[in-house]
Amino acid sequence: MTTENAPASMYRTTEGLGVWEHKGKVAAVGIGHSPTTRRWDGTPENTMGANSIIALRRAIEDAGVSPDQIDGLVLDPVTTTGAHWPEGQPIPMDVVNAFNPTDDPLDGIAKLSAEWILKNMPELTNVKFTMYGLGCMSHAIVVAAQAVGEGRTHTCLVLKSWHNLEGRYNQSGISAADTVPGTFALSPGRTLWGAPGSYGTALQFAEYCRKYGKSHDMMAPFMANSRRNGLLFPEGYWAQHRPEQLTAEDYLNARWIAKPASLFDNDIPIMVSGAYLFTTAERAKDMKQKPVYILNHASSRGAQRSILPTLDEVEAETASTGRKIYEGAGITADDLSFENMYDGFSLFHQFHLEGLRYRGMQNGDALDFYQTDISIEGPNPVLPSGGNIGSGRSRFWMHTDCIQQIQGRAGARQITGVKPEIGVSGGPMPMGGNFTVWSASPG
Amino acid sequence: MVKQGVVPDELTKPFWDAANQGRLEMQNCSACNRLQNPPLPACSQCKSGEHLEWKEMSGRGKIYNYGVVYDCPVKLLQQEQPFNLVVITLDDDPGIQMYSHLPGTPVDEVPVGAAVQVIFEDTANGQKVPEWRVVA
Ligand SMILES: [Zn+2]
């Protein structure tokens, strides 16, 4: 079975599409996560592939379905955090021997095919639909939701995995080369001028602060809230390995990466896998967990005119995304119980919030909103998952939290100031991402 | 600040050749009468590569925005940390941006909105690269 990338037509990228034709007909019923680690420890048990299997088996068990009922698998084949396998370096034999290989020796270690999963999870005997949602969990969720809606699969696993190897983020390869190709030198990302990953977001934040009279220190309550929520997320990196609260003082004294982005404004790259089990609303009724219905998925595909998106470009895109999210779900901002938009980097969460018009917010309001009660106990929870800032860079805690909150399974993180009926998650970037509306009822 | 050397490729060769001759050139679609940067194989508006040409710029611009880099991925630049990393907009079309280290301006004392003039600096392999200075 060959696995294709999802066609662009599966993503709802424009306004004016009306209510999603499969609104309320697809549900999430199972969740599974692997443990987190900072980097691969070199053992077979800690490979990205092994983590993937753990997450998938946990999601299956959580949903209470038997593996032979599963007929679909959607995943992101790209698993790098920015770390790449050193060219020519052999893979340890104990790792090679621990798994059933595909033609690619890095499969299961530094990339992931659907074929590898099926070869190493023999219990998945009935998978007939596989597809890649290339980019993030947010892509995989859209593709799986759309595929279940269209009847191409009825009980579908959704997977996102990450590998992280030795060495610093994005510092090998071309960053250490004596010369670079002319096109690379002029490209918007890592260029001749040495822009760190968070630089673009830092500049949008700087422009935002100048325009609205805000400052970086106004982020401190948001950061403390995110870490606090993250430490209440037992599946997350900080809860598992570094259970330290982040005080305003810690945040304000942190070293800069690309001022105004500091160390804590960057999410920490980790190894982790996360999986969900999606099925039809009909089948979900008989499963172990309370179904969480998908009311809509929407995607943004913004393009900046030149090197970096300007504040105007960002705000136009996030406002459009907000309209798409509500239009397809047939709801308004007033219907949101909570939000779990992306935060890696922390300095763009306000763009997502303002685009959503969350709690009536307009452009420029979010940092003042952060000075009010944004906790899980209050009436206006911001990022109850704690996001990537609170639990490390998985880009899926937000989706997991939406499902758990609505199921009433968020544990110590359960929001109490508002009844969790409808939540929204998604991203990553304000200029490009995928968003999902989750609901306790199908419509 | 000496940057990594540059090996011009097919798409960008006219840009780098012009830089070696002390000229700033930008890709322009003559059908749309629209500049673009970074260079692309096709016009980002009409999607055609047919009408792309290279056009000389005035070399004048404004400082649009900046950050200060303390933790740079590029090895060669790490010894210069912290340094300014500025986004310039061209007076020829303020929608067009370029990066600059803004030589001559102290770290984190960047005058946003100030006028700048292009200069050309050597990279590690002698290829010249456009840079910008605040106009006194
Ligand atoms: Zn054109």
Side-chain angles (χ1 to χ4, degrees), chain A residues 168 171 174-175 177-180 182-183 186 188 193 199 203 207 210 255-259 305-308, chain B residues 3-5 7 9 34-35 37-38 64-65 67-68 70-71 73 75 78 85 93 95 97 99 101 108 131:
Chain A
R168 292 210 49 205
Q171 296 219 353
I174 204 156
S175 293
D178 293 333
T179 62
V180 298
T183 298
L186 299 176
W193 282 265
Y199 173 81
L203 259 66
E207 187 176 2
R210 276 197 298 274
R255 69 182 178 90
W256 298 112
I257 301 292
K259 190 183 175 186
R305 166 85 195 278
S306 190
I307 294 174
L308 294 178
Chain B
K3 301 174 182 47
Q4 286 168 291
V7 180
D9 46 23
R34 188 171 186 267
L35 297 168
N37 186 50
Y64 160 61
N65 203 348
V68 182
Y70 285 75
D71 197 336
K75 201 163 265 182
Q78 287 169 356
L85 180 47
D93 179 346
Q97 303 167 339
Y99 279 128
H101 287 137
D108 212 0
E131 261 298 356

Side-chain angles (χ1 to χ4, degrees), chain B residues 29 32 43 46:
Chain B
C29 176
C32 299
C43 167
C46 70

Side-chain angles (χ1 to χ4, degrees), chain A residues 4 16 41-43 62 74 128 142 165 187 192 197 201 232 249 252 343 357 423 431:
Chain A
E4 307 281 338
D41 67 7
T43 66
D62 188 50
V74 175
K128 305 200 171 55
V142 165
L165 307 173
S187 66
L192 218 50
T201 296
L232 300 174
E249 198 185 354
L252 299 177
D343 66 335
R357 303 289 183 245
M431 290 293 283

Side-chain angles (χ1 to χ4, degrees), chain B residues 2-24:
Chain B
V2 178
K3 301 174 182 47
Q4 286 168 291
V6 178
V7 180
D9 46 23
E10 195 185 335
L11 177 65
T12 59
K13 191 170 187 302
F15 177 92
W16 298 111
D17 286 350
N20 283 343
Q21 292 158 21
R23 281 180 287 113
L24 177 64

Side-chain angles (χ1 to χ4, degrees), chain A residues 59-70:
Chain A
I60 296 167
E61 195 191 337
D62 188 50
V65 304
S66 77
D68 62 2
Q69 289 178 270
I70 290 159

Side-chain angles (χ1 to χ4, degrees), chain A residues 68-362:
Chain A
D68 62 2
Q69 289 178 270
I70 290 159
D71 61 4
L73 171 64
V74 175
L75 61 99
D76 179 3
V78 177
T79 60
T80 184
T81 55
H84 297 279
W85 188 263
E87 212 173 311
Q89 182 173 311
I91 296 156
M93 279 317 289
D94 61 331
V95 176
V96 173
N97 292 331
F99 301 100
N100 295 317
T102 64
D103 294 341
D104 188 332
L106 291 179
D107 209 350
I109 295 172
K111 57 178 77 166
L112 190 63
S113 68
E115 185 192 0
W116 190 95
I117 292 293
L118 296 178
K119 280 191 162 189
N120 288 281
M121 291 183 69
E123 69 269 40
L124 296 177
T125 51
N126 281 322
V127 171
K128 305 200 171 55
F129 172 85
T130 58
M131 194 167 267
Y132 294 131
L134 195 61
C136 253
M137 181 63 104
S138 72
H139 295 76
I141 285 173
V142 165
V143 173
Q146 191 64 28
V148 172
E150 291 171 4
R152 299 163 82 173
T153 161
H154 302 290
T155 306
C156 184
L157 287 164
V158 194
L159 173 71
K160 171 65 196 180
S161 289
W162 295 91
H163 75 266
N164 194 26
L165 307 173
E166 287 305 315
R168 292 210 49 205
Y169 178 50
N170 280 341
Q171 296 219 353
S172 52
I174 204 156
S175 293
D178 293 333
T179 62
V180 298
T183 298
F184 178 90
L186 299 176
S187 66
R190 289 183 295 140
T191 65
L192 218 50
W193 282 265
S198 53
Y199 173 81
T201 296
L203 259 66
Q204 287 150 25
F205 183 80
E207 187 176 2
Y208 177 95
C209 287
R210 276 197 298 274
K211 178 168 180 180
Y212 299 115
K214 309 301 172 192
S215 59
H216 183 258
D217 56 8
M218 293 178 77
M219 288 292 294
F222 170 84
M223 299 300 290
N225 182 64
S226 292
R227 179 69 69 79
R228 175 189 178 230
N229 294 347
L231 293 180
L232 300 174
F233 211 139
E235 296 90 340
Y237 175 80
W238 291 90
Q240 289 177 2
H241 300 282
R242 295 179 62 180
E244 311 146 17
Q245 298 290 346
L246 180 72
T247 66
E249 198 185 354
D250 296 333
Y251 178 63
L252 299 177
N253 290 327
R255 69 182 178 90
W256 298 112
I257 301 292
K259 190 183 175 186
S262 75
L263 180 67
F264 293 118
D265 294 316
N266 292 259
D267 46 351
I268 190 167
I270 56 172
M271 291 209 30
V272 66
S273 296
Y276 307 122
L277 201 142
F278 284 7
T279 190
T280 60
E282 202 54 43
R283 290 182 189 211
K285 286 181 198 155
D286 306 325
M287 289 186 188
K288 200 164 93 184
Q289 307 299 345
K290 175 177 147 74
V292 175
Y293 299 93
I294 298 178
L295 299 188
N296 184 27
H297 64 80
S299 299
S300 67
R301 298 288 183 265
Q304 69 267 26
R305 166 85 195 278
S306 190
I307 294 174
L308 294 178
T310 63
L311 182 60
D312 284 348
E313 287 172 326
V314 169
E315 290 179 339
E317 189 63 31
T318 52
S320 170
T321 297
R323 291 190 294 267
K324 280 183 255 184
I325 287 170
Y326 297 132
E327 181 191 358
I331 61 170
T332 70
D334 293 341
D335 294 313
L336 286 183
S337 321
F338 62 98
E339 66 85 27
N340 263 313
M341 302 291 266
Y342 277 35
D343 66 335
F345 308 107
S346 63
L347 300 182
F348 65 54
H349 191 73
Q350 76 282 356
F351 298 133
H352 285 306
L353 275 184
E354 292 170 4
L356 278 179
R357 303 289 183 245
Y358 184 62
R359 297 300 189 261
M361 237 179 269
Q362 300 297 313

